[in-house]
């Protein structure tokens, strides 16, 4: 029986809101979740890069996953990021996400070590075999130092039915096109989601499925409206929203990592939230806050 597409559309990578002492701010995170669901997103992805998973320990990641799944309460599908450098921990977190009620997991390739193709394939297959949940691969070569090629991804999808998609966070239309033409052509149920705001329109035009991109935290209406216009066949209106999406990544250059920028933008455009970030990230200074506010106002986002 033909599998159907899952997890398509706009699925923001949710920022984790923390209190000033680094604990999960449940009220702030809940309010952010509600605002995105109210804006019409198609799902939510927790504990990705913007969720600061790399600054959290295993117990903290489990607690945040449990809170997020419970608060969303089946209103939209929930994806939980479970990847990392340690395969045993990834499997533990993946099984925890399944037991907690997640709809799927998102698994980044191991970083620090460069991993041979055979070991990389084995890693993803072991994770996929450890759960019955759908698995979305997470390609972010700028941070991991290693690209998941379309050929490698096709090998994985050929071998495991529960590997159902990819978050392709790469600034390359050619890479997205190759993923769609190589993998999605062979497996129509396979979901190709871009990770950069300014590639959403390109991804849709090429036959991809949507985006998991940071602006969904502070301006979900732009990507939601772009997707709806595209689905309605109104390419002129979609292009109008695309013009805004093209400008948004400028703000991500204000600091590294830019998790602080996203939280400041949430506070400016959505509602006041704690902008505390976990080290080694730090607070955004006042001059950069002013630059961010000016850019958001220029784009009419706040």
């Amino acid at each position: 029986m033909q599998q159907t597409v899952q997890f398509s559309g706009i699925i923001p990578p949710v920022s984790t809101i923390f209190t000033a002492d680094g604990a999960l701010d449940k009220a702030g995170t809940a309010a952010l979740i509600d605002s995105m669901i109210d804006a019409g997103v198609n799902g939510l992805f927790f504990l990705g890069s913007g969720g600061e998973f790399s600054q959290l320990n295993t117990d903290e990641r489990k607690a945040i996953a449990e809170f997020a799944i419970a608060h969303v309460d089946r209103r939209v599908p929930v994806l939980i990021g479970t990847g990392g450098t340690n395969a045993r921990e990834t499997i533990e977190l993946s099984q925890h996400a399944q037991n907690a009620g997640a709809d799927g997991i998102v698994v980044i390739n191991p970083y620090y070590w460069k991993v041979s193709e055979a070991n990389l394939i084995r890693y993803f297959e072991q994770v996929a075999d450890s759960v019955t949940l759908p698995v979305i691969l997470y390609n972010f070569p700028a941070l991991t130092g290693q690209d998941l090629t379309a050929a490698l991804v096709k090998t994985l999808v050929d071998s495991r039915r529960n590997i159902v998609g990819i978050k392709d966070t790469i600034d390359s239309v050619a890479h997205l096109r190759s993923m769609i033409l190589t993998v999605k052509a062979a497996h129509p149920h396979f979901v190709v989601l871009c990770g950069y705001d300014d590639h959403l329109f390109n991804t849709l035009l090429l036959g991809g499925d949507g985006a998991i991109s940071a602006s969904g935290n502070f301006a979900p209406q732009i990507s939601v409206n772009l997707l709806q216009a595209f689905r309605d066949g109104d390419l002129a209106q979609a292009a109008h929203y695309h013009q805004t999406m093209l400008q948004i990544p400028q703000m991500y250059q204000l600091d590294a990592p830019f998790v602080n920028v996203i939280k400041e933008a949430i506070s400016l455009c959505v509602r006041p939230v704690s902008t505390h970030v976990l080290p080694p990230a730090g607070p955004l200074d006042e001059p950069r806050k002013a630059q961010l506010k000016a850019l958001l106002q220029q784009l009419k986002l706040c």
Side-chain angles (χ1 to χ4, degrees):
M1 187 171 66
Q2 177 62 52
Q3 291 174 272
T4 57
V5 168
Q6 296 176 282
F7 312 119
S8 65
I10 307 305
I11 306 174
V14 183
S15 292
T16 308
I17 307 302
F18 297 104
T19 62
D21 61 357
L24 174 63
D25 182 341
K26 292 184 177 180
T29 302
L32 178 59
I33 289 169
D34 293 342
S35 71
M36 287 187 278
I37 293 175
D38 291 343
V41 302
N42 304 105
L44 293 170
F45 168 39
F46 297 91
L47 296 166
S49 304
E52 298 176 71
F53 83 90
S54 58
Q55 287 94 277
L56 295 163
N57 64 38
T58 301
D59 288 341
E60 289 170 328
R61 291 175 71 172
K62 288 179 178 179
I64 291 168
E66 290 170 9
F67 172 78
I69 292 164
H71 185 75
V72 173
D73 194 23
R74 300 292 174 189
R75 287 177 286 170
V76 296
V78 169
L79 298 171
I80 300 294
T82 61
T85 58
N86 180 332
R88 293 172 300 160
E89 181 183 63
T90 298
I91 288 170
E92 179 184 343
L93 289 168
S94 298
Q95 292 174 336
H96 174 268
Q98 177 165 297
N99 293 334
D103 296 287
I105 56 173
V106 182
V107 185
I108 200 160
N109 46 310
Y111 43 94
Y112 183 73
W113 282 110
K114 183 172 182 179
V115 182
S116 71
E117 184 168 302
N119 284 333
L120 199 53
I121 290 170
R122 185 178 299 110
Y123 167 78
F124 281 117
E125 289 180 341
Q126 286 174 338
V127 174
D129 289 343
S130 74
V131 294
T132 58
L133 283 179
V135 177
I136 292 180
L137 308 175
Y138 187 175
N139 187 38
F140 202 164
L143 295 188
T144 65
Q146 192 165 5
D147 180 41
L148 301 182
T149 66
L152 184 147
V153 170
K154 184 177 182 298
T155 297
L156 288 168
V157 182
D158 287 344
S159 72
R160 296 296 186 275
R161 285 177 59 83
N162 64 328
I163 297 180
V164 302
I166 189 166
K167 178 186 191 291
D168 206 15
T169 306
I170 187 167
D171 194 13
S172 168
V173 176
H175 198 280
L176 288 159
R177 180 176 62 235
S178 180
M179 202 65 65
I180 291 164
L181 294 180
T182 301
V183 188
K184 195 172 180 67
H187 299 278
H189 72 281
F190 186 78
V191 175
V192 177
L193 300 160
C194 66
Y196 284 124
D197 297 293
D198 49 341
H199 282 302
L200 171 58
F201 195 32
N202 294 330
T203 300
L204 296 173
L205 288 169
L206 287 166
D209 300 280
I212 299 179
S213 58
S215 67
N217 285 276
F218 57 86
Q221 72 279 7
I222 303 300
S223 51
V224 167
N225 289 341
L226 192 162
L227 176 65
Q228 189 59 55
F230 180 85
R231 288 178 171 173
D232 290 342
D234 189 345
L235 295 187
Q237 186 69 0
H240 167 74
Y241 290 113
H242 179 55
Q243 288 178 313
T244 300
M245 296 292 275
L246 286 172
Q247 301 302 317
I248 285 175
Q250 295 178 66
M251 66 185 66
Y252 306 150
Q253 306 304 313
L254 290 172
D255 203 2
F258 60 80
V259 289
N260 52 4
V261 175
I262 304 303
K263 292 181 183 182
E264 294 290 347
I266 293 167
S267 285
L268 288 167
C269 299
V270 182
R271 62 172 62 243
V273 296
S274 167
T275 58
H276 182 80
V277 289
L278 302 180
L284 199 64
D285 62 29
E286 292 303 323
R288 289 183 175 85
K289 285 183 187 179
Q291 287 179 266
L292 174 62
K293 185 174 183 179
L295 180 56
L296 290 167
Q297 289 176 337
Q298 177 188 328
L299 296 176
K300 297 182 171 56
L301 297 178
C302 68

